[in-house]
Amino acid sequence: MKKKYVRWLALCLAGSLLLLSSLSLQPDAATAESRQKATWFWDTPQIQDSADDILDFAANQGVNVLYLQMNRDVRPEYYRSFIRQAGKQGIEVHILGGAPNWALETERHRLETFIQWTAEYQASAAPNERFTGIHVDIEPHVLSEWKTNQASLVKQWQASVRYLVHEAHTLNLPIGSDMTFWLHGYQLPDQSMSISRWMTQQFDQVVIMAYRDQADNIYNVAAAELKEADELGKEALIAVETKSSNEGAYITFFEEGTSYMEEQLSKVCTKAEKHPSFSGFAIHDYRYWKALHDSDR
């Protein structure tokens, strides 16, 4: 295990260890070991020439899950080689796809293309070359329909999610989804539950985009959706941002750097570990995280 990951896990446990007797240390250590640290990788062509650099950085940062975008311009043999190499370093690779318009009924063909490519790839790859999960990032709240006809948009989004989940499980793959932290404040068109609760019910895992740069704020904005995931028996990761943001400096760790980010994540971990659903962290995204890390040197 890489030294930096060991340090991250130790920091994560530090707060709770002060409260535990020596007889109770082992279960919590096992829980920490099983937590995920994920990142998104959108610039897939880089795996053709920079696989070693990508995986070395990921391993050194304690990443054990990579969300790698499906790109039909990248030949399958590059995916196969990359996944083989990642597996040797204990890193899972999940196929990544999504866009706001994936929620629309008129864009179903995009989802079908994504699923078809994944199915064909899985069938042609050796066991140690296959994706071990699917990850989607849809976020239809950025579409104009969110303001003009939200009920219709949400119903279409639900249909898209049902399709994706069904197809993923047909491929025997778990499927996770990004989810903004304020989605629990919106109800389904029939008012039966929050949109976030419904989404969490469907997916095997959700990644709560709690884009803040201070531990209390990160935990506080994620807490409602962590509680929903607790009640539903689902996994939830907490995601943070490293990209510069025009929404305000409090959104991202871009200004503070990676050492400060790690300190804050260790504090979030101490707060979040009381939630059975809490499964780790996701850092958005590889490109900006690495640039921020390099600038800290």
Side-chain angles (χ1 to χ4, degrees):
M1 181 176 287
K2 299 290 183 177
K3 291 181 180 179
K4 196 158 190 176
Y5 193 28
V6 173
R7 185 181 68 184
W8 180 77
L9 292 172
L11 286 171
C12 191
L13 285 170
S16 59
L17 291 180
L18 295 174
L19 303 175
L20 295 172
S21 69
S22 60
L23 293 176
S24 64
L25 292 181
Q26 191 61 38
D28 285 272
T31 299
E33 291 285 347
S34 68
R35 289 205 177 105
Q36 296 179 24
K37 194 173 186 183
T39 192
W40 292 258
F41 197 93
W42 296 99
D43 191 10
T44 307
Q46 283 194 38
I47 69 172
Q48 298 171 128
D49 300 313
S50 304
D52 289 343
D53 291 340
I54 296 163
L55 292 172
D56 284 349
F57 175 81
N60 286 332
Q61 302 308 310
V63 169
N64 51 18
V65 181
L66 264 173
Y67 308 138
L68 178 63
Q69 187 182 35
M70 185 274 279
N71 184 327
R72 286 182 292 176
D73 293 331
V74 176
R75 296 200 303 271
E77 56 260 37
Y78 290 110
Y79 283 95
R80 291 196 289 266
S81 174
F82 185 81
I83 293 172
R84 281 198 311 272
Q85 289 180 253
K88 291 176 181 177
Q89 299 195 48
I91 300 172
E92 294 186 12
V93 182
H94 295 190
I95 186 69
L96 169 65
N101 64 8
W102 277 32
L104 299 175
E105 184 178 349
T106 56
E107 303 299 313
R108 175 62 60 86
H109 63 95
R110 301 186 187 278
L111 284 65
E112 292 170 346
T113 297
F114 174 71
I115 291 295
Q116 182 181 355
W117 186 95
T118 303
E120 292 174 354
Y121 175 86
Q122 294 291 91
S124 66
N128 65 340
E129 299 169 343
R130 293 174 186 153
F131 296 103
T132 53
I134 293 176
H135 191 84
V136 294
D137 180 17
I138 301 179
E139 302 185 58
H141 54 84
V142 305
L143 299 175
S144 60
E145 290 92 335
W146 186 260
K147 293 181 178 179
T148 62
N149 195 353
Q150 188 176 115
S152 174
L153 177 59
V154 170
K155 288 178 181 177
Q156 293 178 72
W157 186 13
Q158 287 179 282
S160 294
V161 167
R162 290 189 189 99
Y163 169 80
L164 286 166
V165 171
H166 176 267
E167 296 299 321
H169 290 168
T170 298
L171 294 173
N172 293 314
L173 290 173
I175 181 168
S177 176
D178 299 333
M179 189 167 71
T180 187
F181 71 80
W182 46 256
L183 202 59
H184 68 279
Y186 289 82
Q187 295 290 302
L188 294 175
D190 65 6
Q191 302 297 304
S192 60
M193 66 182 75
S194 68
I195 297 176
S196 60
R197 188 180 188 89
W198 188 89
M199 292 292 167
T200 303
Q201 275 186 339
Q202 311 309 307
F203 290 103
D204 299 299
Q205 182 186 81
V206 292
V207 175
I208 304 165
M209 297 184 292
Y211 289 176
R212 295 292 184 268
D213 65 0
Q214 195 275 335
D216 286 341
N217 294 336
I218 293 167
Y219 173 73
N220 289 340
V221 300
E225 290 170 4
L226 285 171
K227 185 173 184 293
E228 289 181 335
D230 291 345
E231 294 166 353
L232 295 166
K234 295 299 181 78
E235 293 183 356
L237 275 67
I238 295 175
V240 294
E241 178 68 280
T242 60
K243 179 183 178 181
S244 177
S245 172
N246 58 15
E247 296 178 50
Y250 64 93
I251 296 291
T252 172
F253 286 102
F254 177 79
E255 294 81 11
E256 295 86 1
T258 55
S259 295
Y260 177 81
M261 179 179 75
E262 289 177 3
E263 293 172 4
Q264 296 304 303
L265 292 183
S266 73
K267 294 176 182 179
V268 174
C269 189
T270 301
K271 294 172 180 292
E273 64 187 1
K274 66 184 177 183
H275 293 274
S277 62
F278 175 61
S279 302
F281 294 103
I283 316 299
H284 189 269
D285 62 4
Y286 169 87
R287 173 187 173 188
Y288 296 103
W289 184 10
K290 186 175 188 304
L292 189 61
H293 176 271
D294 292 347
S295 71
D296 288 345
R297 294 178 179 177

